[in-house]
Amino acid sequence: MVTLEQFIADRQQEFEGATGAFSKILRDLSLGAKLVSFYLRRASLAGFLGELGLTNIQGESVQKLDAMANRLLINLFSKNPHVAGLASEEEDEILPLNPDGKYVVLLDPLDGSSNIDVGVPVGTIFSVYRRLTPSGTPCTEADFLQGGRKQVAAGYILYGTSTLLFYTTGQGVHGFTLEPAAGEFLLTYPQVQMPPQLTYYSFNDNQLHEWAPGLQRYVADLHAHNRKAPQSPSLRYVGSLVADFHRNLLKGGLFMYPGTLKKPEGKLRLLYEGYPMAWLTEQAGGKATNGTCSLLDVTPTAIHQRTPLFLGPASEIDRVTAFLNEDVPVEAT
Ligand code: P6P
């Protein structure tokens, strides 16, 4: 079995400069994953569940475990000489860290945390960029607003039936499973490819009436069961992006969180949810859009900006796009 550390060491040349910086950044993410996993699995025993009594910049109630994961990861990266700064879903502003660091990290420290109290898997999402501003100076927002195609690493940790770490540096998607007995992440999913067929679809239809007419027609077509596939796709939606995405990545599925008339930008965050998941999707052979263009080509303007999100097999994303553009409905497949 290959450990995460060995896997990265063997591929140093894939990551810019091969200075070992990426190894140290991923090592911190790996340690953070082990520690967050440890606390999550004891939360109900240690009184760690429930709300902290604060509201974050998203206007969402902060769960105790959100704060734990956020603080733990900030502490880890603040000691990493390669990390010039952090942006986090739980932090209003960017956090300048080590002025000599050459990379910046964006985090959704604990995505889907409202599911923790009911035992549904949650995740950490990360995205890494090489800084633009000169080394030796504090990082600025410009370092974080480079656009999805400038990411040098992205991935997620899924705290599910096991603790999984999936990432890409642009050379495919690779997945690792935590072996608690050894305290190591072991390579279990090399070179992941998203199956091209639509096995699952994942969306919350409680705002369906507010979606674009073309998208409502796509959903109606989906429910008409007129596909020629051996089996019609099934709904799977747990309301936890990392869990829903991971299942669809391995089995072939569409995830979408569109905008509505009232909230055209939708709910999910571009920089630390959309971009990393979009890059993983493309690296695994799928497609990722905001409904009109590749998500990775969307120009960022603000750290916490939202985006509509469509992730899935290329042919299915093309089908959704055709309906959204009110083109003649594509031939039933
Ligand atoms: P809704 C969790 O709160 C989250 O940010 C994502 O993990 C998830 O995909 C989405 O929101 C679920 O949103 O509106 O369906 O509850």
Side-chain angles (χ1 to χ4, degrees):
M1 297 296 272
V2 178
T3 65
L4 174 62
E5 309 228 354
Q6 189 56 52
F7 188 81
I8 299 164
D10 294 348
R11 283 159 185 74
Q12 266 302 342
Q13 75 285 356
E14 283 174 17
F15 192 72
E16 303 216 339
T19 60
F22 180 58
S23 303
K24 183 76 178 69
I25 290 171
L26 213 59
R27 204 159 31 243
D28 282 349
L29 282 164
S30 162
L31 177 55
K34 296 170 194 173
L35 295 169
V36 170
S37 181
F38 174 84
Y39 289 116
L40 277 179
R41 298 180 193 293
R42 283 160 185 76
S44 52
L45 299 169
F48 240 152
L49 296 181
E51 299 178 349
L52 195 59
L54 301 173
T55 303
N56 65 15
I57 189 172
Q58 330 293 343
E60 295 164 346
S61 169
V62 178
Q63 304 290 313
K64 290 176 187 172
L65 287 165
D66 282 324
M68 174 276 295
N70 185 49
R71 184 47 46 200
L72 188 152
L73 289 165
I74 291 171
N75 287 344
L76 276 174
F77 284 119
S78 62
K79 299 177 180 66
N80 186 321
H82 303 293
V83 178
L86 270 182
S88 166
E89 180 181 51
E90 300 302 333
E91 299 292 330
D92 297 359
E93 308 298 331
I94 64 169
L95 299 175
L97 294 176
N98 304 298
D100 296 329
K102 291 184 172 52
Y103 300 93
V104 294
V105 179
L106 293 100
L107 292 168
D108 185 350
L110 204 59
D111 179 77
S113 52
S114 57
N115 286 305
I116 295 169
D117 295 13
V118 292
V120 170
V122 293
T124 296
I125 308 172
F126 61 89
S127 174
V128 183
Y129 294 81
R130 193 175 183 82
R131 71 182 298 180
L132 294 175
T133 50
S135 185
T137 65
C139 66
T140 70
E141 280 210 352
D143 292 310
F144 298 86
L145 297 173
Q146 299 184 47
R149 297 218 181 269
K150 296 289 188 185
Q151 295 175 100
V152 292
Y156 59 83
I157 296 125
L158 178 61
Y159 309 100
T161 48
S162 54
T163 300
L164 303 174
L165 189 152
F166 276 55
Y167 83 90
T168 184
T169 56
Q171 309 293 324
V173 176
H174 309 292
F176 299 79
T177 303
L178 179 63
E179 168 47 86
E184 292 278 8
F185 277 101
L186 302 178
L187 179 65
T188 42
Y189 298 87
Q191 285 295 354
V192 177
Q193 285 295 294
M194 180 183 279
Q197 77 277 2
L198 188 73
T199 306
Y200 297 121
Y201 57 90
S202 310
F203 51 79
N204 180 344
D205 65 359
N206 74 340
Q207 299 296 318
L208 179 64
H209 59 290
E210 286 207 22
W211 289 2
L215 199 53
Q216 295 188 42
R217 288 175 51 238
Y218 167 76
V219 173
D221 177 77
L222 193 62
H223 290 154
H225 297 287
N226 62 4
R227 289 170 184 256
K228 296 174 183 165
Q231 62 178 18
S232 60
S234 297
L235 168 64
R236 288 286 186 284
Y237 187 77
V238 295
S240 184
L241 173 59
V242 175
D244 281 320
F245 176 81
H246 179 73
R247 177 198 53 246
N248 292 355
L249 174 67
L250 295 189
K251 300 296 184 185
L254 168 74
F255 176 94
M256 61 181 184
Y257 206 108
T260 64
L261 295 173
K262 288 181 192 140
K263 296 182 179 175
E265 291 313 303
K267 171 182 181 182
L268 301 177
R269 306 296 165 169
L270 177 63
L271 270 63
Y272 42 79
E273 292 173 334
Y275 281 156
M277 294 320 217
W279 197 23
L280 289 164
T281 301
E282 287 198 0
Q283 284 287 309
K287 261 190 183 181
T289 74
N290 61 357
T292 51
C293 71
S294 167
L295 197 83
L296 294 176
D297 293 330
V298 172
T299 302
T301 53
I303 296 290
H304 297 293
Q305 80 183 73
R306 300 175 192 267
T307 180
L309 189 56
F310 299 79
L311 307 165
S315 60
E316 197 62 27
I317 294 295
D318 290 344
R319 187 184 182 94
V320 174
T321 307
F323 273 95
L324 268 172
N325 295 339
E326 298 289 354
D327 291 356
V328 174
V330 292
E331 278 305 305
T333 53

